[in-house]
């Protein structure tokens, strides 16, 4: 009986000695939880005010919460006198293993963060990239960007390679330049052809007056004088204007007798040399 009482008193004395440590750990836990809520709310509001994409905002807030809760757990354990060195080592090893196993996904995640932060393109933009991805952007997620290709199929492009590629954003500007390449015969009058082409483009109300259409001699080819024609229209009117005016330019040149020659070859036939009779 005395032995049991001594054990209980010993446990009570140990508990009393630990009370300050327990109170300190409890205070650390409560203050830490309050600080985590404050930091999460602050970051959430700041990202929303900065008009950061909602999916990126939610993901960053979730990552921050996990990191802060792990740090709080380690701090509280350390306050209670629990050895945390091995615990931190285990977390580090686990993080390294996960990182090695998910290298591609982490690359895509980093690319998604960069795309959502710097916004080289947005939903609805038509883009083409140096890694042969082109289409209209339907959705931008953390790991993948979804696009609709020209043929109507759906593309899922990993954000890692996409963020590191050269991106041509066709929809980013209000206006867009159309460029045509047409060859006229060497017998045709270049100035006359230029006036006809410019008049055809200026007759189209969708072709902008500023900048004005221009017609330039691009090269003297084997079969034709090659002209480069440039005009501008609103981005939304690009393709209808481009295809319609290509046809109208061809018809206008035909009506004025300016031909677009076919590939030609000149063949010189050398008669055989006949031997004189001896």
């Amino acid at each position: 009986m005395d032995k049991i009482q001594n054990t209980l008193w010993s446990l009570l004395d140990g508990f009393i000695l630990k009370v300050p440590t327990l109170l300190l750990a409890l205070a650390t836990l409560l203050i830490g939880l309050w600080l985590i809520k404050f930091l999460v709310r602050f970051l959430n509001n700041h990202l929303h005010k900065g008009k950061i994409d909602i999916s990126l905002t939610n993901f960053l807030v979730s990552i921050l919460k996990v990191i802060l809760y792990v740090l709080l757990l380690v701090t509280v354990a350390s306050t209670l006198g629990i050895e945390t060195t091995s615990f931190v080592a285990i977390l580090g090893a686990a993080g390294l293993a996960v990182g090695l196993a998910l290298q591609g996904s982490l690359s895509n995640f980093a690319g998604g963060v960069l795309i959502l932060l710097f916004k080289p393109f947005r939903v609805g933009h038509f883009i083409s990239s140096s890694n042969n991805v082109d289409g209209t952007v339907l959705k931008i997620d953390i790991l993948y960007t979804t696009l609709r290709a020209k043929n109507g199929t759906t593309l899922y492009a990993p954000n890692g390679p996409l963020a590191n590629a050269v991106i041509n954003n066709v929809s980013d500007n209000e206006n867009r330049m159309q460029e045509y390449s047409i060859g006229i015969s060497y017998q045709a009058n270049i100035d006359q052809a230029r006036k006809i082409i410019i008049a055809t483009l200026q007759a189209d109300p969708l072709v902008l007056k500023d900048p004005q259409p221009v017609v330039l001699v691009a090269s003297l080819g084997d079969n034709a004088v090659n002209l480069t024609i440039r005009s501008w229209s609103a981005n939304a009117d690009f393709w209808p204007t481009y295809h319609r005016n290509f046809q109208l330019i061809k018809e206008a040149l035909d009506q004025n007798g300016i031909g677009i020659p076919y590939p030609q070859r000149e063949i010189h036939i050398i008669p055989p040399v006949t031997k004189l009779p001896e």
Side-chain angles (χ1 to χ4, degrees), residues 11-58:
L11 291 174
L12 183 60
D13 289 339
F15 177 77
I16 293 173
L17 291 175
K18 288 289 186 179
V19 167
T21 302
L22 292 173
L23 292 176
L24 179 60
L26 180 61
T28 302
L29 177 63
L30 295 176
I31 294 173
L33 291 174
W34 180 84
L35 282 175
I36 290 174
K37 288 183 179 180
F38 173 79
L39 290 173
V40 168
R41 190 182 305 113
F42 174 79
L43 179 64
N44 209 357
N45 293 336
H46 185 72
L47 292 176
H48 280 300
K49 289 180 180 178
K51 298 181 180 180
I52 305 299
D53 188 89
I54 186 65
S55 58
L56 177 59
T57 298
N58 293 337

Side-chain angles (χ1 to χ4, degrees), residues 273-278:
V273 178
T274 57
K275 292 184 179 182
L276 296 175
E278 295 181 355

Side-chain angles (χ1 to χ4, degrees), residues 247-266:
Q247 177 179 344
L248 292 176
I249 290 171
K250 166 68 167 58
E251 293 173 351
L253 292 175
D254 289 343
Q255 290 171 4
N256 288 273
I258 298 177
I260 300 175
Y262 296 99
Q264 304 173 39
R265 292 290 183 272
E266 290 187 2

Side-chain angles (χ1 to χ4, degrees), residues 184-196 227 253 257-259:
I184 61 174
S185 67
Y186 274 93
Q187 290 73 32
N189 186 298
I190 296 176
D191 288 333
Q192 182 188 8
R194 179 182 287 110
K195 291 177 182 178
I196 292 169
L227 304 179
L253 292 175
I258 298 177

Side-chain angles (χ1 to χ4, degrees), residues 126-129 132-136 147-150 155:
F126 185 91
I127 64 170
S128 60
S129 69
N132 299 321
V133 173
D134 64 297
T136 302
L147 306 97
R148 179 179 291 115
K150 293 178 182 178
L155 302 177

Side-chain angles (χ1 to χ4, degrees), residues 63-104:
I63 290 293
L64 177 66
K65 288 171 68 174
V66 171
I67 294 174
L68 291 177
Y69 279 126
V70 170
L71 290 176
L72 178 60
L73 177 63
V74 172
T75 302
V76 171
S78 178
T79 304
L80 291 172
I82 300 173
E83 184 62 40
T84 58
T85 305
S86 58
F87 180 68
V88 173
I90 292 172
L91 286 177
L96 179 61
V98 171
L100 291 174
L102 300 176
Q103 288 184 53

Side-chain angles (χ1 to χ4, degrees), residues 200-251:
T200 302
L201 292 172
Q202 289 178 336
D204 189 340
L206 296 181
V207 173
L208 300 178
K209 302 299 184 288
D210 185 22
Q212 293 182 352
V214 295
V215 179
L216 307 169
V217 176
S219 65
L220 301 177
D222 295 335
N223 307 298
V225 178
N226 297 314
L227 304 179
T228 294
I229 306 160
R230 292 172 182 160
S231 63
W232 290 78
S233 69
N235 209 324
D237 301 325
F238 177 85
W239 288 113
T241 307
Y242 179 83
H243 292 298
R244 180 175 64 252
N245 283 322
F246 227 145
Q247 177 179 344
L248 292 176
I249 290 171
K250 166 68 167 58
E251 293 173 351

